[in-house]
Amino acid sequence: MIDRPAVLGGPPAFPDGLPLVRPTLPDSEPLARRLRDVLDSGILTNGPTVRALEERVAQQVGVGHVVATASCTTGLMLVLQACGVTGRLVMPSFTFAATAHAAHWAGGHPAFADIDPATLTLDPGDLARRLEGAEAVIATHVYGTPCDVESLQRLADAAGIPLVFDAAHALGSRRAGRPIGGFGIAEVFSLSPTKVVVAGEGGLIATNDAALAETCRLGRDYGNPGDYDCLFPGLNARMSELHATLALASLDHLEEAVARRGWLAARLRSRLGDIPGLSFPAVSVGDTSTFKDLTILIDGDGFGLTASELAAAMRAEGIDTRRYYQPPVHRQKAYAHLGPPAPLPVTDRVAEQVLSLPLWSHLTAGSLDRTADSVVRIHRQAPGVRAALAGALLAGR
Ligand SMILES: *Cc1c(COP(=O)(O)O)cnc(C)c1O
């Protein structure tokens, strides 16, 4: 009886609810002091704290230049504008919509390519077939899983076009030991509240290309070189000193956060690894993921429930989940005008199967275990759960 899932009348695993994410924030006292110093200085934007953040991240990820921006989306827009790419920009559809939005705002149009079924990152084999007429490749380190950066770079080089990474999830990830940030012509991190390092809102462009960095620096400030004779139509995409202060404090905990998230992800794998129809996106051997998201794949036939049914049953347990990324970008209303793309079978299948479970850097092992136990309990009583969910639907609940 005690083992009944909440959807079948059992007690919910989290009566007070378990959110999907919580930002891990630095100690508020020292942070408040630093924020007060910024306020007292009277310099609220474009000041020494932003520069300190840029220098620190440049050193940490081993790149020549970092340009802090108001968001990752604006950072991507500035990079694409600086690259002068306004035509066909090939990217995965299995990513957050902002990847495509940035391409659109920069004057390009997204052309979607499929993903690798194991890592869920851009598939070099499929990319190779879609490069005709492309002006740039944009790839996303989905959930913090490093892309196959070497193969993507070879293809971009052969086509003579830039490779840009949406690294929103990947500040702290490593490819064969090398920090994400130094690959392609530029990589752009996000510091928004659901990411691992937070600024409230913010982005970071990392690049080894000095000219590109300089253009992005101008671009985030309207394109104004200082004399108000703007060189090109830029944005206001500056990061404020207050946001940079929070980012610097948050950065102090990055290594610890990535290690702990990796440990929690491994713990979940060990607890759910034997369930039929349930699998995990792969991280290549030797790579490190931030596990920005803790995502599982549910094959409805093997598991007994679809990912969407499991999500509904988890909701009854008080557990918040998300379908990252369902719908994939090519199926969103915003891109209907592009018409149907060439088939993306892996993207479509994976999008049906994904479910991201709650994870944050200070999540307790106990909460993770209770989440895993809920998945097991729901799976064991899958036929009853499915019937209960269908009944609730019929009853209009
Ligand atoms: C969050 C996110 C973005 C956008 O980042 P912002 O800082 O919110 O603009 C872009 N791409 C991906 C993959 C993301 O998850």
Side-chain angles (χ1 to χ4, degrees):
M1 278 308 261
I2 198 91
D3 251 7
R4 237 187 310 164
V7 73
L8 294 178
F14 293 89
D16 299 326
L18 184 71
L20 185 78
V21 230
R22 282 194 163 158
T24 300
L25 296 172
D27 286 347
S28 61
E29 275 308 314
L31 177 63
R33 273 198 299 279
R34 287 193 239 174
L35 288 169
R36 204 173 311 119
D37 289 345
V38 168
L39 293 172
D40 289 346
S41 78
I43 301 170
L44 299 187
T45 196
N46 250 356
T49 319
V50 167
R51 278 196 291 282
L53 173 66
E54 291 174 338
E55 278 162 26
R56 173 129 167 242
V57 173
Q59 191 174 36
Q60 197 157 330
V61 305
V63 297
H65 312 273
V66 168
V67 181
T69 51
S71 66
C72 171
T73 308
T74 50
L76 286 167
M77 287 161 61
L78 291 172
V79 167
L80 295 171
Q81 185 188 42
C83 290
V85 288
T86 53
R88 176 182 169 84
L89 308 182
V90 187
M91 64 182 69
S93 167
F94 193 75
T95 179
F96 185 55
T99 319
H101 291 358
H104 174 86
W105 279 93
H109 53 264
F112 300 111
D114 218 345
I115 50 169
D116 177 87
T119 64
L120 314 190
T121 60
L122 188 57
D123 174 14
D126 191 67
L127 173 67
R129 290 187 285 275
R130 303 190 198 236
L131 278 174
E132 178 87 35
E135 291 194 20
V137 175
I138 310 172
T140 303
H141 303 295
V142 177
Y143 313 139
T145 305
C147 294
D148 178 354
V149 294
E150 300 79 14
S151 301
L152 298 178
Q153 189 66 63
R154 266 195 300 278
L155 287 166
D157 287 347
I161 58 178
L163 170 63
V164 174
F165 286 101
D166 179 337
H169 301 173
L171 181 52
S173 292
R174 286 169 179 271
R175 172 70 173 171
R178 237 182 97 191
I180 293 300
F183 298 99
I185 190 161
E187 304 210 52
V188 188
F189 300 116
S190 172
L191 306 176
S192 66
T194 61
K195 311 302 202 271
V196 179
V197 175
V198 296
E201 294 289 353
L204 296 164
I205 300 168
T207 182
N208 284 308
D209 185 320
L212 182 80
E214 188 47 36
T215 306
C216 290
R217 222 172 265 289
L218 277 170
R220 79 171 168 192
D221 206 18
Y222 316 107
N224 174 16
D227 61 3
Y228 294 87
D229 185 2
C230 289
L231 299 174
F232 58 91
L235 292 168
N236 175 0
R238 296 185 302 257
M239 179 185 289
S240 84
E241 290 283 288
L242 299 165
H243 291 88
T245 302
L246 176 52
L248 273 170
S250 178
L251 207 54
D252 284 341
H253 303 284
L254 176 57
E255 258 179 54
E256 189 191 324
V258 172
R260 174 147 177 91
R261 299 168 81 93
W263 182 81
L264 287 166
R267 188 177 176 101
L268 186 81
R269 263 197 307 280
S270 76
R271 296 181 84 93
L272 297 181
D274 296 334
I275 299 187
L278 189 155
S279 61
F280 298 86
V283 177
S284 300
V285 177
D287 287 3
T288 305
S289 172
T290 57
F291 289 98
K292 191 291 237 177
D293 297 303
L294 183 57
T295 301
I296 58 176
L297 293 160
I298 300 295
D299 167 25
D301 293 338
F303 186 79
L305 296 166
T306 63
S308 130
E309 288 170 323
L310 176 57
M314 295 290 269
R315 199 173 311 124
E317 302 290 347
I319 300 168
D320 190 19
T321 61
R322 253 349 152 266
R323 308 284 313 280
Y324 289 141
Y325 291 100
Q326 160 70 358
V329 185
H330 76 284
R331 297 209 175 269
Q332 295 182 18
K333 294 181 189 75
Y335 295 99
H337 64 279
L338 296 177
L344 301 167
V346 182
T347 297
D348 281 331
R349 189 186 75 229
V350 165
E352 281 308 314
Q353 296 188 344
V354 281
L355 189 68
S356 301
L357 303 177
L359 177 68
W360 56 87
S361 304
H362 60 289
L363 178 74
T364 65
S367 292
L368 183 97
D369 292 352
R370 236 188 309 159
T371 301
D373 292 346
S374 299
V375 173
V376 173
R377 199 162 53 235
I378 291 164
H379 161 69
R380 287 202 179 129
Q381 306 192 35
V385 168
R386 176 168 275 174
L389 289 171
L393 202 65
L394 275 179
R397 279 184 280 138

